[in-house]
Amino acid sequence: MRVMPAVGQRSGVKMIAGLIGRNRLFTAFLVIAALLRADAELGYRWQSWFNDSWDYVDTAVTLNLNPARASGYSLYMWLLKPFHSFALVTISQHLMGLAVAVMMYALAKRRFGCRSWLAAAMTLPVLFDGFEIQLEHLIMSDTLFLFLAMLALVILLWSPLRAGQRTWVRCGVAGLLLGLSAIVRSTGLPLVPLFGLWVLLVLALNRAGWRTFIASAAAFGVTALVPNVGYAAWFDSQHGQFNTSESAGVFLYSRVMTFAECSKMGQLPVDLLSLCSTVPPDRRPLAQAYIWTAASPLARFPSPKFAPLPNSLGEQFAVKAIEAQPLAYARVVFDDTWRSFGWPRTVFPNAETYDEYLFGYHSVAVSNAHPADGYPSSAQAYLAGASPRTRVVNPFAGAIRIYQRYVWLPGTVYGLVLVAGLAGLFAARRRRGTSVAALLPWATSLVLIVAPAATAEFDYRYVTTAMPFACLAVAMAFGRARREKQAVSAAEPRRAAGFARGLTGRGLDDGPGDAGHDERDLAPDAT
């Protein structure tokens, strides 16, 4: 039995193009958003720099994996290195930002029947937030991470997960993309178990059959692990640690040092006592000061900062602090998460870091801390000797700089979007397939702001990356998908029998026991 596709024989790309072409509003949004990104490229030729950028470029040139952070983004830059162009890197990131909006719109319209105006409105933060555009223009991992995670989610949600539809292939591809996203940015690692549990839940609720259940779960789990295990093995060959970094313990230590009191932690081993602080918690600096400044007890260890010994001791200390003061830990995690919903965008964590998220008036000085291949810096080596300084060219630079000052999404609006998505989940509870599907992007958005607060510290760019998933959840939950019975070919009775045996009962989106049809939630224009 073969279920005729609701969109005929058109390819996915053509189908998406058709959906976009029918909505002049979204098409106009895309064109304007593309022009804004072109203005950013012309105004800041051809990249912007953040303090982490130099490490990414260094790894892209030398392939020496960075001990402080996963270097998946550097491997992407290494693939583009033969072109010796940062312009190619940032242009590709701007295209990824536009592609995220297209994926959101197409999924909301095609699968969940979202109204065109609502589907287009939910893409506005991705398309027009000035800080999103600037983040795409930075030599940073966030845009690539967002693109990979969103693509994995869209592949899983593009149609119901059930038997007879190569579900295991989709789960495998989604798992691979999600695994890659986790080595691009470590805060994506919690998404792997989140997506995995969601896949198991949906397959169970859809009664997909034990063969489909096992094959799909195995495909997702294996492909999600492959990039991480392979990266950890490579890291082990260079640093002697089967891990993706040597910094998780150090960052967690910095997190707990905003509240940890050794007097409440019982009898500590001598090697952990050296990590205590006599400064009262209410007079201590921000968490990141316990990584990067001389005020940190970790500064007593010899360089490098991220090494097995301080990382191990930091992790042990942090675990004991959390066990001894769980409420204090919960409080700092809540406080940092709550920062995500503030209306004003205040200077945080310091002026120097905050300014790096802005389109500035002048070119940022190029770091010479990582020379490579005979060049003064890795950035020059990447360009085969050309100058990596950003050229600030007016009037383009002035236009996008003023635009960013006034057009951005306040954190309070993000909070309202999360609340609207949660309300939509409850409103769609009678359409169980829709509510369970919308739960995935909503939970993804929440994890992306809570995980950094729990393991390190708040940062504005985490909110920028989390916002699209919350918007997608709203569009999905408030969609008006209707059931469309699909024509079924009876030309293959053997396949029909096998397909029927693979099902054990009624699925989320199926009609009540209609053996001759496969019913799905489809957009009205996908008939």
Side-chain angles (χ1 to χ4, degrees):
M1 179 184 294
R2 177 173 297 173
V3 180
M4 300 299 290
V7 292
Q9 300 301 319
R10 292 179 297 171
S11 69
V13 174
K14 289 183 178 179
M15 186 276 297
I16 293 174
L19 284 176
I20 296 172
R22 286 196 292 272
N23 187 343
R24 294 181 180 178
L25 178 63
F26 182 64
T27 302
F29 284 170
L30 272 181
V31 171
I32 297 172
L35 291 176
L36 287 170
R37 285 158 172 79
D39 182 81
E41 282 289 336
L42 294 173
Y44 293 85
R45 303 179 186 180
W46 301 102
Q47 73 284 320
S48 294
W49 297 108
F50 194 77
N51 52 29
D52 293 341
S53 300
W54 318 114
D55 288 334
Y56 286 123
V57 177
D58 179 54
T59 300
V61 172
T62 64
L63 288 183
N64 293 325
L65 301 182
N66 193 292
R69 58 185 59 85
S71 302
Y73 177 66
S74 297
L75 302 182
Y76 173 72
M77 293 183 62
W78 176 80
L79 292 175
L80 301 181
K81 182 188 171 186
F83 298 97
H84 303 296
S85 171
F86 286 123
L88 185 60
V89 177
T90 54
I91 290 173
S92 69
Q93 291 177 176
H94 286 309
L95 292 176
M96 289 177 194
L98 296 175
V100 166
V102 170
M103 287 189 284
M104 293 169 59
Y105 178 83
L107 179 65
K109 281 288 294 175
R110 185 261 179 190
R111 169 82 197 280
F112 298 95
C114 183
R115 292 171 176 83
S116 296
W117 67 267
L118 179 59
M122 288 299 99
T123 66
L124 291 178
V126 181
L127 292 176
F128 294 110
D129 188 327
F131 287 94
E132 166 67 28
I133 297 173
Q134 203 269 348
L135 192 59
E136 295 169 13
H137 202 61
L138 283 168
I139 302 298
M140 287 286 285
S141 62
D142 300 82
T143 301
L144 178 60
F145 165 78
L146 171 61
F147 175 77
L148 292 172
M150 183 63 74
L151 183 56
L153 185 142
V154 169
I155 287 174
L156 281 179
L157 296 179
W158 193 248
S159 62
L161 297 180
R162 54 172 60 140
Q165 295 182 334
R166 298 202 177 201
T167 294
W168 70 272
V169 175
R170 287 168 49 209
C171 289
V173 173
L176 179 61
L177 291 168
L178 206 60
L180 290 172
S181 76
I183 65 170
V184 168
R185 210 181 77 183
S186 58
T187 50
L189 193 58
L191 296 185
V192 175
L194 172 66
F195 275 55
L197 290 173
W198 183 89
V199 167
L200 295 178
L201 172 65
V202 171
L203 290 172
L205 291 175
N206 271 343
R207 301 179 183 179
W210 67 269
R211 290 182 180 177
T212 299
F213 187 94
I214 294 176
S216 300
F220 179 87
V222 170
T223 56
L225 285 175
V226 164
N228 290 276
V229 171
Y231 184 91
W234 189 7
F235 191 89
D236 184 43
S237 69
Q238 292 188 0
H239 300 278
Q241 296 283 321
F242 189 80
N243 209 330
T244 57
S245 73
E246 293 177 347
S247 63
V250 173
F251 278 99
L252 190 59
Y253 170 78
S254 73
R255 170 73 288 172
V256 304
M257 281 306 290
T258 55
F259 67 84
E261 297 178 74
C262 290
S263 60
K264 298 180 180 180
M265 295 167 61
Q267 189 72 25
L268 288 176
V270 176
D271 53 357
L272 295 186
L273 283 174
S274 65
L275 300 183
C276 294
S277 174
T278 58
V279 179
D282 58 351
R283 296 176 56 187
R284 293 179 188 177
L286 295 172
Q288 66 172 252
Y290 288 94
I291 302 176
W292 308 109
T293 72
S296 172
L298 289 176
R300 303 166 187 167
F301 290 92
S303 185
K305 189 184 304 290
F306 300 105
L309 180 58
N311 189 58
S312 175
L313 294 178
E315 182 178 2
Q316 295 176 49
F317 184 94
V319 170
K320 289 185 177 296
I322 294 170
E323 291 175 344
Q325 300 173 265
L327 294 181
Y329 174 66
R331 176 62 186 270
V332 297
V333 173
F334 175 83
D335 288 346
D336 253 20
T337 301
W338 190 251
R339 289 182 188 273
S340 304
F341 310 124
W343 180 267
R345 195 176 177 104
T346 58
V347 175
F348 185 90
N350 53 56
E352 180 182 358
T353 301
Y354 182 83
D355 287 347
E356 291 181 320
Y357 291 126
L358 302 174
F359 286 112
Y361 290 89
H362 308 289
S363 174
V364 176
V366 176
S367 171
N368 293 323
H370 302 284
D373 296 342
Y375 293 100
S377 71
S378 291
Q380 285 182 298
Y382 191 86
L383 296 175
S387 173
R389 290 182 63 88
T390 302
R391 291 176 54 205
V392 181
V393 180
N394 287 312
F396 305 105
I400 195 66
R401 186 168 57 243
I402 294 172
Y403 176 88
Q404 184 189 24
R405 182 182 304 172
Y406 295 104
V407 184
W408 52 276
L409 191 83
T412 307
V413 177
Y414 168 57
L416 293 174
V417 171
L418 272 179
V419 171
L422 185 61
L425 294 179
F426 282 103
R429 64 187 182 278
R430 293 186 178 181
R431 294 178 288 128
R432 193 170 62 177
T434 297
S435 63
V436 172
L439 176 63
L440 182 58
W442 189 88
T444 297
S445 183
L446 190 63
V447 166
L448 289 178
I449 59 170
V450 174
T455 57
E457 193 174 50
F458 164 83
D459 196 291
Y460 281 114
R461 60 193 171 99
Y462 301 146
V463 181
T464 303
T465 306
M467 183 67 188
F469 296 97
C471 291
L472 178 59
V474 171
M476 290 166 54
F478 288 100
R480 51 193 174 98
R482 71 184 183 188
R483 301 185 194 279
E484 297 289 349
K485 290 191 174 183
Q486 308 303 312
V488 178
S489 170
E492 301 175 276
R494 291 186 180 178
R495 281 192 173 182
F499 179 71
R501 284 194 298 270
L503 296 174
T504 60
R506 183 165 63 93
L508 288 177
D509 303 299
D510 293 340
D514 188 349
H517 298 280
D518 177 28
E519 294 181 353
R520 314 182 196 185
D521 284 348
L522 292 173
D525 59 4
T527 306

